[in-house]
Amino acid sequence: MNLRGSGIAALLLLAACGGKSELQPPPGQSLPAPAPGEARQPTPTELMTPGPQARPQRSDELLRRSEDRRDDRFDLPPN
């Protein structure tokens, strides 16, 4: 019975941490200064969004020519 109660308590705690609110800098601190050449300071949401180098887009470029695979000595048939 104790294990069941602790499981329910863990689920309730996990459900409670899903609140969403606008991100704000900690009290007494401000957002980072804008990058050189930028006209405005980025918002917290913009700072949390990964850039194209962090999440590259899929390349749909097709192969232009086929190439034979090199022999792989570790590509063995199943036993």
Side-chain angles (χ1 to χ4, degrees), residues 36-71:
E38 291 292 322
R40 62 178 184 80
Q41 193 172 27
T43 64
T45 305
E46 291 172 342
L47 290 171
M48 294 293 293
T49 305
Q53 287 185 336
R55 290 192 125 174
Q57 298 295 320
R58 186 180 121 184
S59 173
D60 291 332
E61 182 179 336
L62 301 174
L63 294 174
R64 297 179 187 220
R65 61 181 177 180
S66 40
E67 298 176 2
D68 291 331
R69 285 186 171 184
R70 297 183 326 200
D71 287 335

Side-chain angles (χ1 to χ4, degrees), residues 16-42:
C17 69
K20 289 189 174 187
S21 62
E22 189 67 30
L23 294 175
Q24 297 294 329
Q29 294 184 359
S30 63
L31 291 173
E38 291 292 322
R40 62 178 184 80
Q41 193 172 27

Side-chain angles (χ1 to χ4, degrees), residues 5-19:
S6 62
I8 291 173
L11 286 174
L12 288 174
L13 286 173
L14 184 63
C17 69

